[in-house]
Structure formats: structure tokens, C-alpha cells
Amino acid sequence: MDANQRREIILKHYQNPVHRGLVSDETYRKADTSNESCIDEVHLMAKLENGRIVDLRFDGEACAMCTSSTSLMIQTLIGKTLEEAEVILQQFEAMIEGEEYDANVLEDTIVYDDIAKQPNRKKCVLLPWWGLEKILNEEKEGKQNER
């Protein structure tokens, strides 16, 4: 993907993020993440049913990189199983950290493939993913406690 395509996708998801706005529904799991070194604050909500992500929503105040990362994460993960989401999350984090990763599972989130070279931007793009990771871990813990 060339630099212009990358910029275009990031700008589109910053200016018109998908699923922005929280809902009043107790069936959603919630996670809040923030970056103490800047304004980034993401409130994430996930509706999980039958081992699948059926909806993700967010709100908060964040920079262009954080907002676009949140929007792209949501676009990528709605409809995925929890196992698929975990794989994508692991691969995304590996990409951001400059480690080996499977680009085939990342869909449009691959636009951040050069962030590893920009350490000051890593937390911006990872922040919403950490919120999702909290939600997925809570879901796993809940399932284990049911046994």
C-alpha cells in the first residue's frame, strides 16, 4: 500500500469513524482506556453473542491516529468470532511492535504497518485495541468461571 492510500484510509476513518457513539444497553461489555501523556481517551463497548462480536461502539476524545485506529478496528472485527478477534489483535500488536506478523489477517488495519518506526505513535494506535483486549479477557474469565 502506498503512502497516499494509507493517508486516505486513516483520514477517512478519522473524519467519519464507524460506530461512534455509545448506547445504553447493559448487555454490552465496556472498557475505558486513556493515554496519560496526551488527550487520547477511548470508551469502548462490545456486544458479544455466541462467541462472536456482533457490535462494537466507541466514544471519547482522541487524536487522528487513535480515532482512525479505533474505527478501523471496529470495521475489521464486527462479525468475527472471539478466536478470530484474538488472532487479529495479536497480529496487530506484533505489527505495531515491529515483530513478525501475518498481514493476511489484518485487512485495512495494515495501514499502520510503519508505526513501529514511530515510537511516539504506538500507544495512539494501540489504545483501542487494549480496550478490546480487556473485554476479551473478561469474557474468557467469565466463561471459565461458569465451568
Side-chain angles (χ1 to χ4, degrees), residues 10-58:
I10 291 170
L11 190 58
K12 173 185 150 194
H13 281 273
Y14 170 63
Q15 292 176 331
N16 298 297
V18 300
H19 291 247
R20 183 168 210 152
L22 304 179
V23 294
S24 180
D25 184 335
E26 293 301 315
T27 64
Y28 281 72
R29 292 193 175 267
K30 299 174 183 86
D32 298 313
T33 56
S34 62
N35 185 346
E36 63 283 342
S37 63
C38 69
I39 66 162
D40 293 345
E41 187 174 272
V42 176
H43 309 288
L44 192 64
M45 297 177 75
K47 186 168 184 108
L48 311 175
E49 291 179 351
N50 302 318
R52 191 170 293 279
I53 299 173
V54 296
D55 193 22
L56 285 167
R57 316 244 359 127
F58 84 102

Side-chain angles (χ1 to χ4, degrees), residues 101-114:
Y101 64 93
D102 181 358
N104 295 317
V105 301
L106 294 176
E107 299 179 21
D108 280 349
T109 66
I110 197 75
V111 299
Y112 302 107
D113 65 349
D114 67 343

Side-chain angles (χ1 to χ4, degrees), residues 89-108:
L89 172 65
Q90 291 164 356
Q91 296 305 305
F92 185 81
E93 287 180 337
M95 176 181 70
I96 298 305
E97 295 300 334
E99 300 166 0
E100 283 189 40
Y101 64 93
D102 181 358
N104 295 317
V105 301
L106 294 176
E107 299 179 21
D108 280 349

